Each structure stands twice: as C-alpha cells, then as structure tokens.
Amino acid sequence: MDTKELLAKVRKIEIKTRRLSNHLFSGEYHTSFKGRGMTFAEVRPYQFGDDVRAIDWNVTARFNEPFVKVFEEERELTLMMMVDVSASKLFGTTNQTKSETVAEIVATLAFSATQNNDKIGLILFTDQIELYIPPKKGKSHVLRIIRELLEFQPKSKKTNIRVPLEFLAGVQKKKAIVFLVSDFIDHHSYDHALKMTGKKHDVTGIKIYDPKEQKFPDVGLVLMQDAETGASQWVNTGSKKVRMEFEKFFASQQQKFQDSFNKAGCGSITINLQDSYVKKLLGYFKARN
C-alpha cells in the first residue's frame, strides 16, 4: 500500500482502538496485570487499625508520635507483543484478514498499556525473527508498532512458535506481560520453550482463525495452495470424508494449542474472525481478576 493509504489505515485503527482502551480496557488491564511489587510512597500519622509493623520508628522518635510507612504498587511494567507474520496470517474470508484483526488487537492492548505508563515492545516472527522493536513508552511508539504490523514484509512464509519464545529469553531479562499472537498452524513442538517462558513471564496465547478453517464448505473440486509451503493440490470438498478430515485437523491443532498453554501455566484466548475480539479480551481480563 502507498504512504497515504497506510497513514489512513493507521489513523483508523488508532481512533478505534484508543477509544476501546480508554473506555473499556485500561481499567481491566490495570487490575489483570500487577506491578513488580510494593514501593515506598510516604509516611503519615498512625491511625487506629494500622499495622504496627508499618511504623517508621525513626520518624516516630523525631516527632514523638507514631508515624507509619505507606507503600504503593510499583505499576510500571513491560508489555511484549510477539506476532506471527507468516503467510497464513493473510488468510481471511470475512470482512478482515487475520493480520488486520491482529493489528487492532495489538493496538488495543498497546494503548491500554500506555494508559498505565508501561513500556511496549514488539517481536515479529515467522520461522525466524523478522523484526524486534525494543520496549519504549508513548503514543508515537505505539503508532510505529501499528505501521509495522500493517506494512511489514517478512522474509519467510513459514512458522515456528519456538523461535520468538527462545529469542525473548535473550532480550527480556525482567518479568514482562507477554501476548503471543498467531493462528498456531505450526508443525514444530514449542512446549518446552513455552514452559520456560511461562516460568519467568506472564504469558497469554491469542489464537486467531477464520471460520472456513474450522469447517470447510462443500464447493466441489478446488485447487488449494498451502500459503506457507506453496504446495498445491486439488481437493474434492464434495467428499464428506475430506471435510471431516479437515475438521479433525483443525480440532487437533486447537487441542494442541490449549494443552500446550495449560501445561505451561499460561493463559489462552481463541478468537474467530467473526467474533468480537473486544468481548473475548474483556472476558479474559475479568476471569483473571
């Protein structure tokens, strides 16, 4: 797309997702993801019911009356968005492709993080790391992330979920909130890498899929091409057996996704392109509280 079209798309996503993050998500995000701990804020006079362990004895001795230390949650966090940009992400039979929906989801989460003064980083991956944007704060940084999601052209078409998980271990030393966004069409094993990542970070997987990937319609003989390998073959969608095998494959991929994240102690969200991702995200945040 040309520069004018790109800027128009970025602006459209910004208006839509900032409104969502301002009115719906910032509060849910804040309560769902806790800070690193408690940090000292101030001292104040002792009040009935205060914990005596919080008394500041130095200040108490100086003023000859009891004062207590007040602590508050250390809120600043890092949000890392890991996004699959392999060829299968361009698929879509509804009003939007997977990649366009992903851009809106990432923007909503990023603006919610900005509301809480958190840093946001981005990792784009296929079966290799395609782009890494280190965590920073601010609206202009979020707009750059949206632009990259809309226009980035990856070198590879394939997918390997293990790659970004292992890369994250090398670039993010402190605990982070991590959203791994993909259709999870991946024939590699990523269970061990996910388990290791889940021990250190707060990880959530977001699986995006098109309804036609779950249940293929009877449209006769169709030439189908694998977006990631380029391999083509004729498929008789009129065959009930073929359609059942198609549905069985989708179900196995869905089960693999859910089992992997459950075993690793990580959260998971599944979003159909026909679903409201707003309801899905809000439901997930509320369930965490």
Side-chain angles (χ1 to χ4, degrees), residues 198-267:
K199 285 182 177 180
K200 184 173 184 180
H201 305 290
D202 187 335
V203 182
T204 300
I206 301 181
K207 178 182 172 74
I208 309 288
Y209 73 94
D210 187 280
K212 293 295 190 294
E213 292 175 314
Q214 182 178 22
K215 190 171 184 178
F216 207 82
D218 178 359
V219 288
L221 197 60
V222 178
L223 180 62
M224 300 183 69
Q225 182 181 55
D226 188 311
E228 297 195 1
T229 66
S232 299
Q233 70 176 81
W234 288 95
V235 177
N236 180 17
T237 63
S239 166
K240 186 177 180 180
K241 182 181 178 181
V242 168
R243 294 198 305 275
M244 287 181 67
E245 287 297 321
F246 197 87
E247 291 173 28
K248 191 185 296 183
F249 173 76
F250 177 87
S252 70
Q253 290 288 305
Q254 176 65 17
Q255 195 63 52
K256 176 186 174 183
F257 165 69
Q258 291 180 333
D259 288 347
S260 296
F261 278 79
N262 287 341
K263 288 176 184 176
C266 301

Side-chain angles (χ1 to χ4, degrees), residues 77-127:
L77 296 169
T78 296
L79 171 68
M80 287 299 305
M81 301 298 309
M82 302 199 296
V83 181
D84 177 1
V85 289
S86 60
S88 59
K89 293 299 295 304
L90 297 174
F91 183 74
T93 60
T94 60
N95 292 331
Q96 291 195 136
T97 62
K98 293 178 194 173
S99 60
E100 289 169 334
T101 299
V102 165
E104 290 190 9
I105 291 171
V106 171
T108 301
L109 293 170
F111 280 123
S112 297
T114 298
Q115 290 283 322
N116 287 280
N117 201 35
D118 294 343
K119 296 178 182 177
I120 303 102
L122 177 69
I123 298 172
L124 300 183
F125 71 93
T126 50
D127 59 349

Side-chain angles (χ1 to χ4, degrees), residues 84-88 125-128 130 154-161 185-186 188 226-230:
D84 177 1
V85 289
S86 60
S88 59
F125 71 93
T126 50
D127 59 349
Q128 63 189 51
E130 298 280 354
K155 298 183 182 71
S156 175
K157 295 182 177 181
K158 299 180 180 180
T159 304
N160 190 336
I161 304 294
I185 299 175
D186 183 6
H188 305 86
D226 188 311
E228 297 195 1
T229 66

Side-chain angles (χ1 to χ4, degrees), residues 34-79:
K34 307 300 182 184
R36 289 194 294 269
M38 305 303 288
T39 185
F40 174 73
E42 61 180 351
V43 294
R44 61 165 172 76
Y46 177 87
Q47 297 174 359
F48 179 75
D50 285 340
D51 190 338
V52 295
R53 292 173 297 182
I55 292 176
D56 187 320
W57 294 107
N58 290 330
V59 178
T60 295
R62 192 180 311 144
F63 291 94
N64 203 30
E65 64 175 295
F67 277 78
V68 293
K69 294 178 181 178
V70 178
F71 293 84
E72 63 183 15
E73 184 185 351
E74 190 178 357
R75 258 304 312 170
E76 183 180 300
L77 296 169
T78 296
L79 171 68

